[in-house]
Amino acid sequence: MRHGTTAMLCGLLYAVWCGTAWGGTLACNGAQHIRLLHPVEIGPEELAEFRAMAPLRMLAVDAPPMSRYDKKQGSYTGVAVDTWCFITNKLGLRYEIDSARDQTVASKIEQVQQGRADVFMPLSLLPQRAKLGIFTEPYYQSFYAVITRKDRQLSVDSIDDLKSYQVGVVKGVALDARLQSLLPPNRLQRFDQANSDGLFKAVQDGTLDAAVFSQSIFEEKRYTREYFDLEAIHTLLDDPREYRFYFSPTAQNQRIVQAFDRYLAAIDVSLSVTKHEKGERDLIELYVKQRSQHQLWQFVGIGSTALVLIFGMAFLYYRRLARLLNERNRQIQEQAKALESANAQLKHLSLSDGLTGLANRRAFDQELLREHARSSRMGTPLSVLMADLDRFKAVNDYYGHATGDAYLCAVAKALKETASRATDLTARYGGEEFACLLPATGASDALALAERIRQAVEQLALPNTRAETGHLTISIGLATLQAGSGTAQSLLEQADAQLYAAKHGGGNRVHATELAG
């Protein structure tokens, strides 16, 4: 009995230690934003093996929106964290986190490669890394961008155009090796990862013409470091950066990676991406608000000081002070303009899809509520079209994600040109799913428009060798509310149900229904 009590206490102490050892935690509440597209089969013997394993020793890095470290909470959040928590919970795996804020990324990767840690997140695949560790399939994709000073007006349409300029890059990133092979040594300056701010300052002072850097991370740095004179002039869509989990090369971890890959092939992380990209924008908006308040207090402080000095100094000092105040006021006006521009960009970011340029799901849902209210007041019909690309996973698997992104952009353009009325709204609803909001559009007109969209996508003739037709096609679900008495949610659900029917009917077709008023 005494032995059993001792074992229980040891188990409890070990469980507490596993959650707090090494000084970090994961905020796993975001795992609810991960969903499965189809079930994943894990056998009972595998589950028993995973649950019996010792806690995995985990290393992470602050790289939003994949993972963001909160110093106050001592925890990580992000797309990678949501994905990790979802899968490890399904598999029954335990883990312990090392926050290790004083270590470099290279040092953390080396610990995994040498077996002193089990896993690192997030990390992009490089051949030399793959030789010394095990990568899972990707769960998030971003792109590099060419960043310049706004007044430079460089002409860059592809990475090859950088040959004419002085360029900077961070050592060891995915494009480092390619830039070294593309540019002569006297045209490429490579910066340590800990000195990425030095890279941007070199662009600001004209030492470099351009920097190649992760676009999503730059957008955050642009506000937190006040790089308002810099901009991303070109996104390198041909060189996507895919983020994965990186495991040490052991037989146990090989089995874990195989189980992870089964889940990664079946999950949809679009809601998590939306959540954490929005979280990043919220951080920027908070910063802008605090900065505006700081400028206000600075202005008040300068004004108060001016009044005291005006009454206490001679005329010559007054003239000198007036010049100083004029300069400070000019600086404040310039900062106010920059903040106004930042707010406008934030509003655009929050309502648009970064890849296709269409409205995003958030913008679509907001506009649907407004148009439904208008339809109810005016008694006009309202139609919603939901569309999904057929067998699109095969495109990414066979041709690669860069081709998949190009296909999405081409389809988005076709939808935008077909649903072209000023009142129509076309959105990328998530992944390869699109939506069209058609105000004052009856069932017959909406059905005709849906068929034109189906034909427009088919006429693009985008190759898809895994499809029966040999090219990319689209399935469409359509729902029309005749008098506006139904809810906006029911209209959306009916369109989604028709899309489901179109997909299961073989794809490349339109299914439609009407909701009685």
Side-chain angles (χ1 to χ4, degrees):
M1 184 71 178
R2 182 179 300 172
H3 175 75
T5 303
T6 302
M8 182 179 295
L9 289 173
C10 288
L12 289 172
L13 289 173
Y14 180 74
V16 172
W17 178 79
C18 285
T20 58
W22 297 11
T25 59
L26 299 184
C28 281
N29 56 308
Q32 61 182 317
H33 299 288
I34 305 296
R35 66 187 183 96
L36 286 176
L37 299 176
H38 55 77
V40 175
E41 296 295 334
I42 302 291
E45 293 183 358
E46 285 184 283
L47 289 176
E49 178 188 5
F50 293 142
R51 289 167 182 167
M53 287 180 181
L56 297 172
R57 299 158 298 168
M58 186 175 192
L59 297 169
V61 65
D62 190 9
M66 288 80 67
S67 62
R68 176 191 296 281
Y69 185 69
D70 187 326
K71 293 182 180 179
K72 292 183 179 179
Q73 301 295 328
S75 64
Y76 286 91
T77 59
V79 179
V81 175
D82 292 351
T83 306
W84 173 268
C85 291
F86 180 87
I87 297 176
T88 54
N89 180 61
K90 294 289 186 183
L91 297 177
L93 287 167
R94 295 174 295 161
Y95 50 87
E96 51 193 33
I97 313 300
D98 181 1
S99 56
R101 306 292 295 163
D102 57 339
Q103 296 184 31
T104 65
V105 173
S107 173
K108 293 180 179 181
I109 294 174
E110 185 177 312
Q111 288 183 58
V112 173
Q113 293 170 342
Q114 295 177 353
R116 290 183 284 128
D118 290 298
V119 61
F120 176 84
M121 74 173 187
L123 192 64
S124 55
L125 188 149
L126 291 177
Q128 59 268 35
R129 293 171 179 169
K131 292 178 181 178
L132 301 173
I134 312 171
F135 279 101
T136 66
E137 290 298 310
Y139 53 82
Y140 181 85
Q141 185 181 71
S142 67
F143 295 90
Y144 287 95
V146 178
I147 297 156
T148 68
R149 245 175 35 199
K150 287 185 176 179
D151 58 358
R152 291 303 304 274
Q153 298 182 344
L154 302 188
S155 177
V156 178
D157 294 317
S158 71
I159 193 170
D160 292 331
D161 294 333
L162 294 176
K163 294 177 182 178
S164 305
Y165 303 111
Q166 295 290 333
V167 180
V169 69
V170 173
K171 294 178 183 178
V173 300
L175 279 184
D176 184 19
R178 183 172 178 187
L179 289 172
Q180 289 185 71
S181 64
L182 180 69
L183 301 173
N186 63 337
R187 286 194 176 274
L188 180 64
Q189 187 171 348
R190 300 167 68 232
F191 291 75
D192 293 331
Q193 289 180 334
N195 189 28
S196 61
D197 289 329
L199 168 64
F200 294 118
K201 292 188 184 301
V203 177
Q204 286 180 311
D205 63 24
T207 304
L208 296 174
D209 297 311
V212 175
F213 199 81
S214 169
Q215 186 165 5
S216 60
I217 298 177
F218 165 71
E219 288 300 334
E220 181 177 358
K221 282 182 174 288
R222 184 168 180 266
Y223 295 97
T224 57
R225 298 289 196 273
E226 296 189 2
Y227 295 147
F228 296 123
D229 54 342
L230 302 181
E231 64 178 347
I233 62 168
H234 180 69
T235 302
L236 299 173
L237 296 176
D238 292 336
D239 296 278
R241 190 179 191 185
E242 293 183 329
Y243 289 93
R244 308 162 186 253
F245 299 108
Y246 186 54
F247 283 79
S248 60
T250 67
Q252 171 186 289
N253 290 342
Q254 182 68 57
R255 293 192 296 276
I256 293 174
V257 168
Q258 290 171 355
F260 260 67
D261 286 346
R262 275 181 271 172
Y263 274 101
L264 290 171
I267 63 174
D268 177 6
V269 301
S270 57
L271 289 179
S272 177
V273 172
T274 300
K275 173 181 180 292
H276 292 292
E277 286 184 348
K278 179 180 182 298
E280 189 170 309
R281 291 193 294 270
D282 289 344
L283 172 71
I284 296 171
E285 289 172 350
L286 177 61
Y287 163 78
V288 171
K289 180 179 179 181
Q290 292 173 341
R291 185 68 179 169
S292 300
Q293 292 174 344
H294 173 73
Q295 292 294 336
L296 176 62
W297 283 112
Q298 183 183 35
F299 179 79
V300 171
I302 292 172
S304 300
T305 303
L307 289 175
V308 173
L309 292 176
I310 286 172
F311 288 105
M313 299 178 65
F315 179 70
L316 291 178
Y317 288 99
Y318 165 75
R319 291 181 60 187
R320 182 168 176 266
L321 179 63
R323 287 196 298 271
L324 175 63
L325 284 174
N326 286 335
E327 177 63 20
R328 290 293 179 87
N329 284 333
R330 184 187 64 80
Q331 294 176 0
I332 291 173
Q333 289 172 358
E334 289 180 354
Q335 185 68 38
K337 289 180 181 178
L339 292 172
E340 183 179 351
S341 174
N343 279 323
Q345 292 183 26
L346 284 168
K347 183 177 180 181
H348 175 73
L349 283 171
S350 68
L351 296 175
S352 63
D353 175 57
L355 176 63
T356 63
L358 298 179
N360 61 15
R361 181 172 183 165
R362 178 183 179 189
F364 183 88
D365 289 343
Q366 291 177 358
E367 191 64 21
L368 173 60
L369 292 176
R370 283 192 289 266
E371 288 299 337
H372 179 266
R374 192 198 310 271
S375 173
S376 299
R377 291 195 308 270
M378 305 298 294
T380 56
L382 178 63
S383 294
V384 166
L385 180 155
M386 300 295 290
D388 188 86
L389 297 178
D390 299 324
R391 299 170 181 84
F392 187 72
K393 185 178 183 300
V395 173
N396 286 329
D397 292 344
Y398 187 78
Y399 300 97
H401 287 278
T403 299
D405 288 337
Y407 280 18
L408 289 173
C409 291
V411 171
K413 182 180 178 183
L415 265 68
K416 185 72 174 176
E417 291 176 349
T418 307
S420 57
R421 296 184 309 172
T423 54
D424 296 339
L425 177 67
T426 304
R428 183 184 178 193
Y429 208 65
E432 63 268 24
E433 190 173 7
F434 296 86
C436 292
L437 183 62
L438 308 172
T441 305
S444 60
D445 290 338
L447 182 59
L449 175 63
E451 180 59 26
R452 291 199 300 272
I453 289 174
R454 187 196 66 77
Q455 294 175 4
V457 173
E458 191 171 33
Q459 290 167 6
L460 290 174
L462 300 172
N464 185 2
T465 57
R466 303 291 179 86
E468 294 179 2
T469 60
H471 58 264
L472 189 70
T473 58
I474 194 169
S475 295
I476 299 174
L478 176 66
T480 300
L481 188 64
Q482 290 299 339
S485 62
T487 66
Q489 183 63 31
S490 65
L491 181 61
L492 195 62
E493 289 174 352
Q494 285 298 317
D496 197 54
Q498 293 303 310
L499 172 59
Y500 181 86
K503 296 287 285 187
H504 283 264
N508 192 24
R509 64 192 62 206
V510 179
H511 277 225
T513 188
E514 295 183 40
L515 283 71

